[in-house]
Amino acid sequence: MYTLKAIARRASLLGAALALAVSTVTPFAPAAFADALNPLTDRSLTLSSSSPGWDFLDGSGNALYAPPNSGANGQKTGNTFDFKVSTDSTADTDGAGPDTGTGNPIKAMTFQYCETSAGNCRAPGDNLCQTGTTGGGDCVYKTNDQSLATDDKRSDLEFVAPSASEIDPGDYASIINTAGNSGVASRLPLRDSSEGTFVVYYYDAVNDDWNQSTGWELTAENVEVHSGAPADQGDGHATGKNNYVTLTNTTGQGLASGTQMKVVFFATDANYITNPGSGAFFVKINTYTDYDDTTPGTVAVDQADLIDGGVTVANVMNQSINIQTKVLETMDFSVGVVDPYTLNSADTDGGTPGVQSPLKTANGEDTHGQCSRILKGMNESDTNEPKNTLLMGNEDGEFSLETDQTYSTHSYWRLSSNSSAGATVYYSGNTLANTVNDLILPMNAASEAPQRGTPQFGLALANGSNADNTTVGPYEVNYARERTPENAGQFGIFEYGADNAAGAGVHATVATDTAGTSYHTPRLFPLIPRAAYDQGAGIVNTEYGTVNTAFAFDSNSTYIPVALASQDTEVVDCVTGKMRYVANIAATT
């Protein structure tokens, strides 16, 4: 199947073409001209598309989503023949006769596409004459390319096989689902025909699987008949296009009576079947014990060598149903100071009446969503709580900065977009300043480590670095913080956040609340952080260990936004960035 890629352009026109095909199954219906006692039974023909040969564009009027062998493409179709043999053609090893096999394996099969099920055979189609007149004895029918260029909605059936070849046995198991009794294709061979274009296989009822029959060669030619003689173009009796396919095998394939067999012709860029422009058509199928290849460039079969046959399968052309709609460009971008995934969705006080969970208090919801928006505070209904406001500094000193500590705080953002060209997140702003424009110096735009006693202000993503994750992520959010409980008697409290009361990680109830495939652990991927801003997760104060972080700030971002993270080839699905901010001052700041 083909997956429709998200469209980046606003209001881009999308379309789908759905072909409704019919597969006819005929249990027993011998035709008059062949062996009526040994027909192929339970036979069917399934088309990859029942669209006419002139109909091969998708709902948007282009071929992008209508490749060869797809339901929307009637110009380059594939055919699947499914039937059971009547005659036992396995080896007669004990000489006892037909009860143990005839000893004459199938060495040839023919498939003749005709307008009628018996008698005369004109290849199906409705092209007009390029020269002469129909019925005048001098009509030369247009090629399908000519008809496509000059006529409205016409085409002739044509089996195009300049480089047809058998599916390589090494690729067979990956193309055909061999387990069980379905035997359907699980994927298509490559469009360049390098893996082959057709396959013959049969059902092994003992082992309940499908075995490939190998050694087959394909020839496509024009065989049209009128009044018992070869028909030429003229009088409307012949289109002149390839309608007769012969498969030959020097070794042959012996099958027990009743064995189910399939022959699949796949459509590729260069090898395919073009459907007729209208009406029904029939395919006459026969199997043979021998074939004559004494004449170079030709393959002939003799009716005396017929095993099973004299049967047809039918199908009919119908234009595909086109569906048109639009998907507008969408984006969901939330910026705030609390990630709801860190909040408990259950009451934490034993169910005291009137008390709700931290999550319900924060955003009014009882459960976590699959891509919950970042919140602006811990209490949605508290109008006195500053929204999207961060405090940084000594909590016991009215959140003031000090020369002997590096202080930090953090916020979050979450982004989703259906743009196939990805997205980029920028920042824009000034360094810390007072009302008379005294500034704390911004960190180097190329990043630097925090250093006590040096005026600094910077920011970075706390999601893991390129060095840690290369360029494929996951860049998971690092919820850890440099914060020691006051009653622990250790160090100080150097990182304060608006989500101070939340835990330092994703809450255990999130996975339960967000059951479904859309949720993933909060991460930045597929966005890739810019090198100057990918080292915000880690230590900024020596009391907690060796300083291993770096931050940056570009003072020009006030006028020209600076990129933090970007992706230009993939859809951005619910990515989360944790922004960490640090500040240091000197004694003279």
Side-chain angles (χ1 to χ4, degrees):
M1 67 181 294
Y2 297 85
T3 303
L4 188 63
K5 196 174 182 182
I7 305 299
R9 302 183 184 89
R10 183 174 302 278
S12 295
L13 181 66
L14 302 182
L18 305 181
L20 303 180
V22 60
S23 172
T24 60
V25 180
T26 308
F28 188 95
F33 65 88
D35 189 346
L37 298 179
N38 296 294
L40 298 169
T41 63
D42 291 350
R43 58 196 178 274
S44 69
L45 165 60
T46 303
L47 311 182
S48 66
S49 172
S50 63
S51 293
W54 49 262
D55 185 20
F56 54 89
L57 302 179
D58 63 16
S60 297
N62 60 69
L64 180 62
Y65 300 113
N69 222 101
S70 68
N73 195 331
Q75 184 188 58
K76 296 184 177 182
T77 68
N79 286 185
T80 297
F81 292 91
D82 188 337
F83 50 83
K84 290 182 179 178
V85 299
S86 293
T87 301
D88 188 338
S89 58
T90 57
D92 183 13
T93 55
D94 62 1
D99 57 329
T100 56
T102 64
N104 295 317
I106 300 171
K107 290 188 176 182
M109 292 181 280
T110 60
F111 304 84
Q112 187 178 26
Y113 293 75
C114 305
E115 282 187 337
T116 57
S117 60
N120 293 333
C121 179
R122 181 189 187 277
D126 54 11
N127 280 354
L128 301 175
C129 302
Q130 57 173 298
T131 60
T133 57
T134 302
D138 57 354
C139 176
V140 176
Y141 285 95
K142 293 181 180 180
T143 67
N144 282 322
D145 286 342
Q146 289 173 329
S147 185
L148 185 65
T150 59
D151 296 322
D152 184 33
K153 300 180 180 179
R154 292 179 180 274
S155 61
D156 286 344
L157 182 133
E158 185 172 16
F159 202 110
V160 180
S163 57
S165 63
E166 186 176 73
I167 294 294
D168 187 280
D171 297 314
Y172 168 71
S174 69
I175 294 174
I176 301 299
N177 182 3
T178 60
N181 61 5
S182 63
V184 297
S186 54
R187 73 172 179 88
L188 297 176
L190 295 177
R191 290 178 55 171
D192 63 3
S193 304
S194 61
E195 292 180 321
T197 64
F198 71 90
V199 62
V200 179
Y201 56 109
Y202 61 92
Y203 181 57
D204 180 354
V206 175
N207 297 306
D208 192 27
D209 61 7
W210 291 83
N211 297 329
Q212 183 180 10
S213 176
T214 59
W216 295 92
E217 296 183 356
L218 182 151
T219 301
E221 56 189 322
N222 173 254
V223 177
E224 297 178 273
V225 179
H226 183 70
S227 298
D232 295 323
Q233 292 200 55
D235 296 330
H237 299 321
T239 70
K241 297 174 179 64
N242 289 347
N243 71 318
Y244 191 85
V245 181
T246 306
L247 294 179
T248 58
N249 191 316
T250 56
T251 302
Q253 179 66 59
L255 297 174
S257 176
T259 299
Q260 186 177 1
M261 193 175 196
K262 290 192 179 187
V263 179
V264 183
F265 301 114
F266 292 103
T268 63
D269 286 326
N271 299 271
Y272 52 85
I273 303 166
T274 296
N275 283 337
S278 60
F281 68 88
F282 302 83
V283 184
K284 302 174 183 179
I285 312 172
N286 293 280
T287 62
Y288 300 87
T289 62
D290 201 4
Y291 64 94
D292 178 11
D293 62 352
T294 57
T295 303
T298 65
V299 174
V301 291
D302 189 332
Q303 292 298 315
D305 296 323
L306 181 68
I307 301 177
D308 294 335
V311 296
T312 59
V313 288
N315 232 300
V316 66
M317 297 298 97
N318 284 287
Q319 187 176 1
S320 301
I321 298 296
N322 288 324
I323 301 174
Q324 292 187 355
T325 186
K326 293 180 180 179
V327 176
L328 301 179
E329 186 175 1
T330 62
M331 179 174 287
D332 189 356
F333 187 47
S334 57
V335 179
V337 293
V338 178
D339 186 345
Y341 290 153
T342 65
L343 305 180
N344 196 334
S345 61
D347 293 348
T348 56
D349 65 345
T352 301
V355 177
Q356 55 192 15
S357 71
L359 180 63
K360 183 76 177 279
T361 299
N363 71 352
E365 301 291 338
D366 290 315
T367 60
H368 300 93
Q370 291 189 348
C371 190
S372 296
R373 293 174 63 84
I374 300 298
L375 307 176
K376 298 177 181 179
M378 286 290 291
N379 192 329
E380 181 183 50
S381 60
D382 185 357
T383 58
N384 294 319
E385 178 192 36
K387 305 303 182 185
N388 272 11
T389 300
L390 296 173
L391 299 174
M392 182 164 56
N394 187 336
E395 297 176 42
D396 295 326
E398 299 180 355
F399 293 98
S400 55
L401 299 175
E402 300 173 348
T403 59
D404 57 352
Q405 301 295 340
T406 298
Y407 286 97
S408 66
T409 187
H410 54 264
S411 67
Y412 307 91
W413 49 264
R414 185 159 286 150
L415 169 65
S416 291
S417 173
N418 68 347
S419 170
S420 60
T424 300
V425 177
Y426 300 83
Y427 75 90
S428 176
N430 205 347
T431 183
L432 294 168
N434 62 16
T435 56
V436 294
N437 207 33
D438 292 326
L439 306 174
I440 294 181
L441 296 176
M443 285 180 151
N444 191 301
S447 81
E448 59 184 279
Q451 185 175 353
R452 294 174 178 175
T454 299
Q456 293 176 312
F457 174 73
L459 54 85
L461 286 159
N463 283 79
S465 67
N466 278 324
D468 298 331
N469 296 283
T470 66
T471 57
V472 294
Y475 308 116
E476 290 186 5
V477 176
N478 187 329
Y479 288 98
R481 60 189 71 177
E482 284 190 355
R483 182 171 184 83
T484 302
E486 293 183 75
N487 59 8
Q490 300 179 27
F491 316 143
I493 301 173
F494 304 139
E495 183 173 353
Y496 182 89
D499 56 349
N500 196 38
V506 176
H507 202 275
T509 58
V510 173
T512 301
D513 292 343
T514 61
T517 58
S518 295
Y519 171 75
H520 52 70
T521 302
R523 67 190 187 197
L524 190 65
F525 186 79
L527 290 185
I528 298 173
R530 295 298 173 92
Y533 302 98
D534 68 350
Q535 300 177 67
I539 297 170
V540 300
N541 283 287
T542 57
E543 286 86 348
Y544 290 92
T546 302
V547 174
N548 60 357
T549 53
F551 299 81
F553 193 88
D554 190 336
S555 57
N556 290 324
S557 67
T558 301
Y559 312 105
I560 303 174
V562 176
L564 287 167
S566 61
Q567 170 59 247
D568 58 9
T569 61
E570 296 185 37
V571 171
V572 177
D573 172 27
C574 194
V575 302
T576 304
K578 177 185 175 182
M579 300 303 305
R580 193 176 183 192
Y581 313 86
V582 296
N584 278 305
I585 60 169
T588 56
T589 301

